[in-house]
Amino acid sequence: MSTRTCLFALVVAACDGGGPPVEQGPPPSDAPQPIAGWPQRVGACVGEAQAPTRLLVTTTDFATGGVSAVDLADLAVAPDVALGSTDAKPFWFDGVAYVLHRYGVDALDVLDPDDGFRLLAQRAIVAGDPEVVSANPHALVVGPDGRGYVSLFGAPEVQVWDLGDGDDPVLEGRIDLTRLADADGNPEASDLLLCGDVLFVAVDRVDQDKSLVPNELQARLAAIDLASGAVHDLDPAAPGAQGLALRGTWARQFRLDPADASGRTALVLTTGLERVDLSSGTSEWAVADARLQAAGLTDYRQPQAFDLGPGGDDIYLAAYRADFSEVAIFRAALDRDEPLVEIAGGLQSVEQSLEVVGDTLWFADRAHGASGLRAWDLRQDPPTPLPGTPLALGLAPYAAVALP
């Protein structure tokens, strides 16, 4: 049992261990009332690793899985430093590596990156509703106090974990997201940003009976007050609670905007790239969706992952072709109405596996018979493949995160 006190008024028995709104499900009777309006004060957000030197890559053949580490200086690969699964995503916060095993496995691993990624602990991720088949944890963010937040795609909740002792993670509570849900009672929460005492959650609100098609044209960004556990409601007149309506569909990746030294502006990949001012709750296009459409990226499912270029004036975007036969990488200028430039094609990927470190673009490619970690020298125009790559990782790569 953690010695910390549960802080959430809507915790569910867990201290042991835009268009018009879519149809809402009934709110839980024990959830706190939503807070009208956007958060008044937003702290600096938890960001990515600074000055990365390594990549941690999950791998899988969709029957089993592993975790491999890559030293970016000498291209040395340490394959299978930890066990993986068929749907595993790596994370890193404050010197600790984590692997979130998602659909059907539902577990969190804590790894020590300074000791060969030795497994410190593993905990099951179980939804509060016993009828949920798979909690399907989707994302993790850990604050400076060691408290971690895990979003569930399979149930209307964010779990709160005490990760201060890596050897003994403890489930502290569950933040109920039912007020954000559509008619199926689940808002399908995914990516997370932790900014002081506010947790931002990408709310997908998809139709689980229709191949996860979004029920709204505009993605939603929900804000949760961590002191009370209440969600912020931008439209109190509508049933349930409404998050910020973004400009595009399906928010699939967050990165902090390096141009904002305060750490309160996020770049959000939807059907374009949006710059969201988290202090004011406003969004504008940094790369308009029309520019992606002009490059043939007309389906909301095509954009997959992005990262900032070395100078911060452009991004590199991985996206499916229109027929989903392969993945290509494009360069797109920020805030300038210029055509996207394709720099590589013939790739395969099913998760976010694109990282820019220094002057090098890294991409974990699953191409049949030629899978591995590919790299391009961004000092060249067009970027050229880095000698010695692709790097074999054992099984085909799945998802990647940069580590210091």
Side-chain angles (χ1 to χ4, degrees), residues 319-365:
Y320 291 105
R321 300 285 191 197
D323 61 0
F324 294 92
S325 62
E326 65 179 32
V327 172
I329 297 177
F330 300 85
R331 182 174 60 227
L334 287 176
D335 305 306
R336 303 193 305 277
D337 188 13
E338 300 174 2
L340 274 63
V341 177
E342 182 176 333
I343 68 166
L347 308 170
Q348 294 290 344
S349 180
V350 292
E351 248 300 340
Q352 292 162 354
S353 60
L354 184 154
E355 294 285 340
V356 174
V357 179
D359 295 317
T360 305
L361 167 65
W362 299 91
F363 185 78
D365 180 20

Side-chain angles (χ1 to χ4, degrees), residues 167-192:
D167 295 307
D168 187 24
V170 176
L171 178 62
E172 284 194 337
R174 306 171 191 271
I175 301 175
D176 197 316
L177 302 184
T178 310
R179 291 189 185 276
L180 296 166
D182 51 11
D184 66 6
N186 184 12
E188 289 86 26
S190 53
D191 260 12
L192 301 171

Side-chain angles (χ1 to χ4, degrees), residues 265-352:
T265 302
L267 296 173
V268 182
L269 182 62
T270 58
T271 39
L273 187 72
E274 306 187 34
R275 180 180 289 109
V276 180
D277 185 330
L278 298 169
S279 294
S280 63
T282 57
S283 178
E284 62 182 11
W285 288 120
V287 180
D289 58 350
R291 293 171 57 195
L292 271 66
Q293 293 166 11
L297 309 181
T298 57
D299 191 299
Y300 73 90
R301 297 169 294 175
Q302 287 178 258
Q304 186 185 69
F306 81 100
D307 202 354
L308 277 293
D313 297 325
D314 50 27
I315 66 164
Y316 290 88
L317 170 71
Y320 291 105
R321 300 285 191 197
D323 61 0
F324 294 92
S325 62
E326 65 179 32
V327 172
I329 297 177
F330 300 85
R331 182 174 60 227
L334 287 176
D335 305 306
R336 303 193 305 277
D337 188 13
E338 300 174 2
L340 274 63
V341 177
E342 182 176 333
I343 68 166
L347 308 170
Q348 294 290 344
S349 180
V350 292
E351 248 300 340
Q352 292 162 354

Side-chain angles (χ1 to χ4, degrees), residues 19-346:
V22 297
E23 183 182 350
Q24 304 285 142
S29 59
D30 57 349
Q33 289 297 313
I35 301 171
W38 193 250
Q40 295 297 304
R41 298 184 64 181
V42 174
C45 302
V46 173
E48 303 168 60
Q50 298 299 305
T53 63
R54 296 173 289 177
L55 290 181
L56 192 64
V57 186
T58 54
T59 63
T60 186
D61 58 3
F62 298 115
T64 184
V67 181
S68 296
V70 182
D71 187 310
L72 301 181
D74 59 10
L75 305 186
V77 176
D80 300 324
V81 295
L83 292 175
S85 60
T86 56
D87 184 9
K89 191 168 182 179
F91 297 86
W92 180 93
F93 297 98
D94 195 24
V96 182
Y98 303 89
V99 175
L100 200 59
H101 302 276
R102 302 194 295 183
Y103 184 77
V105 178
D106 301 346
L108 174 66
D109 290 354
V110 184
L111 308 177
D112 184 351
D114 296 324
D115 188 12
F117 296 94
R118 177 174 61 90
L119 178 66
L120 298 175
Q122 183 179 79
R123 294 292 184 270
I125 303 293
V126 180
D129 182 351
E131 296 186 3
V132 171
V133 175
S134 173
N136 197 1
H138 248 49
L140 166 71
V141 64
V142 182
D145 62 354
R147 185 173 279 112
Y149 303 88
V150 177
S151 61
L152 305 189
F153 195 81
E157 65 182 72
V158 170
Q159 295 193 350
V160 186
W161 286 82
D162 181 352
L163 299 175
D165 181 354
D167 295 307
D168 187 24
V170 176
L171 178 62
E172 284 194 337
R174 306 171 191 271
I175 301 175
D176 197 316
L177 302 184
T178 310
R179 291 189 185 276
L180 296 166
D182 51 11
D184 66 6
N186 184 12
E188 289 86 26
S190 53
D191 260 12
L192 301 171
L193 267 178
L194 177 59
C195 306
D197 296 325
V198 181
L199 181 69
F200 294 98
V201 185
V203 173
D204 292 330
R205 282 169 143 178
V206 299
D207 190 330
Q208 298 200 35
D209 295 325
K210 295 182 179 179
S211 302
L212 302 182
V213 174
N215 284 315
E216 295 178 295
L217 293 177
Q218 293 173 287
R220 296 271 175 174
L221 183 62
I224 299 170
D225 174 61
L226 292 179
S228 65
V231 299
H232 286 263
D233 186 2
L234 273 65
D235 186 3
Q242 310 301 321
L244 173 67
L246 301 178
R247 294 175 175 267
T249 304
W250 200 320
R252 65 209 73 199
Q253 187 178 14
F254 298 152
R255 291 190 188 268
L256 293 185
D257 185 353
D260 180 5
S262 75
R264 293 172 173 84
T265 302
L267 296 173
V268 182
L269 182 62
T270 58
T271 39
L273 187 72
E274 306 187 34
R275 180 180 289 109
V276 180
D277 185 330
L278 298 169
S279 294
S280 63
T282 57
S283 178
E284 62 182 11
W285 288 120
V287 180
D289 58 350
R291 293 171 57 195
L292 271 66
Q293 293 166 11
L297 309 181
T298 57
D299 191 299
Y300 73 90
R301 297 169 294 175
Q302 287 178 258
Q304 186 185 69
F306 81 100
D307 202 354
L308 277 293
D313 297 325
D314 50 27
I315 66 164
Y316 290 88
L317 170 71
Y320 291 105
R321 300 285 191 197
D323 61 0
F324 294 92
S325 62
E326 65 179 32
V327 172
I329 297 177
F330 300 85
R331 182 174 60 227
L334 287 176
D335 305 306
R336 303 193 305 277
D337 188 13
E338 300 174 2
L340 274 63
V341 177
E342 182 176 333
I343 68 166

